[in-house]
Amino acid sequence: MTLIVESTENENLIEVNHLRINFNTYAGKVKAIRDVSFHLKKGETLAIVGESGSGKSVTTRALMGLNADNAEIAGGEILFHGQDVLKKSEQEMQQIRGKDIAMIFQDPMTSLDPTMKIGRQIAEPLRVHNHVSREKAMEQALEMLKLVGITDAEHRINDYPHQFSGGMRQRIVIAIALICYPEVLIADEPTTALDVTIQAQILKLMKELQEKIETSIIFITHDLGVVAGMADRIAVMYAGKIVEYGTVDEIFYNPQHPYTWGLLNSMPTLDTRSGDLSAIPGTPPDLLDPPKGDAFAARNPYALKIDAEQEPPFFKVSETHYAATWLLDPRSPQVVPPVAIAKRQDQWAKMHNADGELIRPEAPLPTPAAPSDDDRE
């Protein structure tokens, strides 16, 4: 069973349905994306989280037709305004890329042309897509440079990428992505190469720009902590599949999948001492030959016998929250999650009634208690 969230066509900018992508390699066919479905609404931020190799970037690059030459679309559809982009020609996709759907790539060091002044690089999408004059394009590039927070923009617009710091280069990459005011912005781990102080500034900037230009964001990351104040909804990916899906509060305070438990448990806190970091044991499965049942079973301390035999369907936790784990089956035995996760779930239960409705809408959820020594067992 694959997660399909019911919605009317005019509500969603993007709908991904039953997407499957393989990579043809010398060793065989890698089943990188295995039946993925999700949607993106106007003005919202969807975070896709998971370990390296889980399929986050492959999925979102398919939205822009940017997958590698050895990639094979094995099935599914990607609807943008109701039209399947997988059926569009390269020429048609070139009209969409940068104008309607733009991407911020992971490494600003390699995303910019070192031989071209940054003003020209920012203005280029405008000249290609909107066919404006060079003078007009440079005027708008200057305004965007100011908008992303580059000081002394009038002079720095004529500088080359090597004359900027890493954080400034990332701001320039964001300016290039936003210059045409795209409807959808894909941010592929845009803060990975930055220190935490600059990371926070970039995240704040993206949130402010999103409100100003009313764009929707797909935010890709392996770090749940990064999206805590950024996302509206979260999709957790593992081994080429979405395993849990819900609002940011549901994923942080009422997680249901053991893999999500592991991700949250591995987040360091201010009280985390040296040597006390938790980790998910083992390694992801080989997608040349995906496991028969639940792909996470071999690493799951809560795995049931059926996990090795049959892939779990999505179980409905609420109208917006789904998780693919046999632990949610009414017939499964009751398990006790890690102490830190149980505390989160207790806080969630105290704030909601039996129907899952927030008892005090005006009150934010409390900050999860810092784990004690016993929590890290």
Side-chain angles (χ1 to χ4, degrees):
M1 176 181 175
T2 302
L3 172 63
I4 296 290
V5 180
E6 295 183 3
S7 55
T8 59
E9 186 174 300
N10 62 357
E11 287 182 334
N12 299 329
L13 284 177
I14 288 178
E15 291 184 23
V16 177
N17 297 317
H18 303 292
L19 181 64
R20 291 183 291 120
I21 301 176
N22 300 331
F23 285 96
N24 297 308
T25 70
Y26 291 115
K29 187 169 291 189
V30 177
K31 299 176 178 63
I33 304 300
R34 305 183 298 133
D35 206 356
V36 164
S37 298
F38 63 87
H39 69 273
L40 179 71
K41 295 180 180 295
K42 183 176 181 179
E44 77 167 348
T45 299
L46 170 68
I48 302 178
V49 302
E51 292 171 283
S52 297
S54 61
K56 309 181 300 296
S57 295
V58 174
T59 299
T60 51
R61 284 171 184 260
L63 303 180
M64 301 180 70
L66 289 177
N67 279 330
D69 292 338
N70 64 336
E72 169 191 44
I73 304 298
E77 61 181 6
I78 299 174
L79 303 180
F80 178 57
H81 286 301
Q83 296 185 357
D84 191 353
V85 301
L86 297 178
K87 295 180 180 178
K88 292 185 179 295
S89 66
E90 174 61 22
Q91 187 175 3
E92 290 173 319
M93 287 305 299
Q94 287 177 1
Q95 299 302 312
I96 294 175
R97 291 190 205 115
K99 181 180 181 182
D100 300 318
I101 306 176
M103 178 174 270
I104 302 170
F105 293 96
Q106 183 170 350
D107 187 1
M109 310 298 181
T110 58
S111 298
L112 297 170
D113 186 337
T115 67
M116 187 185 296
K117 294 178 180 180
I118 58 104
R120 285 185 57 198
Q121 297 191 52
I122 297 172
E124 187 175 23
L126 281 175
R127 302 203 66 191
V128 171
H129 294 293
N130 296 355
H131 308 292
V132 301
S133 66
R134 182 181 182 279
E135 292 73 18
K136 185 66 175 177
M138 289 300 290
E139 287 177 12
Q140 294 187 40
L142 178 59
E143 291 303 312
M144 183 57 72
L145 206 57
K146 293 176 180 177
L147 194 61
V148 298
I150 299 296
T151 56
D152 196 19
E154 289 85 358
H155 294 96
R156 306 229 63 185
I157 195 170
N158 293 312
D159 286 346
Y160 291 91
H162 73 272
Q163 295 174 274
F164 294 87
S165 66
M168 286 185 175
R169 275 193 286 251
Q170 192 62 285
R171 289 172 184 265
I172 294 166
V173 171
I174 292 173
I176 295 172
L178 296 180
I179 191 66
C180 289
Y181 285 29
E183 293 183 82
V184 178
L185 178 65
I186 300 170
D188 187 358
E189 304 208 35
T191 60
T192 298
L194 307 175
D195 63 65
V196 291
T197 303
I198 303 302
Q199 182 183 90
Q201 293 176 7
I202 295 297
L203 293 175
K204 181 181 178 182
L205 171 66
M206 289 181 63
K207 197 67 176 174
E208 291 173 349
L209 293 176
Q210 180 185 25
E211 295 174 358
K212 288 181 180 179
I213 71 173
E214 298 181 341
T215 190
S216 302
I217 296 177
I218 298 177
F219 197 98
I220 307 166
T221 183
H222 61 273
D223 184 356
L224 268 170
V226 166
V227 299
M230 186 79 184
D232 299 302
R233 291 183 296 119
I234 297 176
V236 181
M237 284 195 76
Y238 183 77
K241 297 180 75 73
I242 291 177
V243 297
E244 188 162 5
Y245 189 97
T247 66
V248 64
D249 282 345
E250 287 169 335
I251 297 299
F252 271 88
Y253 291 94
N254 192 30
Q256 299 294 319
H257 198 284
Y259 179 61
T260 312
W261 295 352
L263 290 179
L264 288 168
N265 236 11
S266 64
M267 288 171 56
T269 69
L270 292 176
D271 288 347
T272 300
R273 298 176 303 181
S274 176
D276 284 346
L277 283 176
S278 299
I280 301 174
T283 58
D286 183 1
L287 294 183
L288 280 167
D289 183 23
K292 179 181 177 183
D294 184 354
F296 187 59
R299 307 174 69 187
N300 182 7
Y302 306 92
L304 306 174
K305 183 178 179 181
I306 193 173
D307 282 311
E309 302 168 354
Q310 188 175 340
E311 188 176 335
F314 271 97
F315 290 91
K316 182 177 179 180
V317 183
S318 73
E319 293 297 328
T320 55
H321 190 185
Y322 298 79
T325 170
W326 285 114
L327 295 179
L328 290 176
D329 190 293
R331 299 165 295 178
S332 71
Q334 295 296 312
V335 302
V336 179
V339 175
I341 300 300
K343 287 181 178 179
R344 290 174 179 267
Q345 293 174 333
D346 286 344
Q347 290 172 349
W348 176 267
K350 291 175 182 177
M351 296 291 290
H352 294 76
N353 61 25
D355 296 325
E357 298 171 340
L358 194 62
I359 298 173
R360 291 176 292 163
E362 73 284 355
L365 285 170
T367 302
S372 63
D373 291 345
D374 293 336
D375 296 350
R376 299 189 176 95
E377 293 180 355

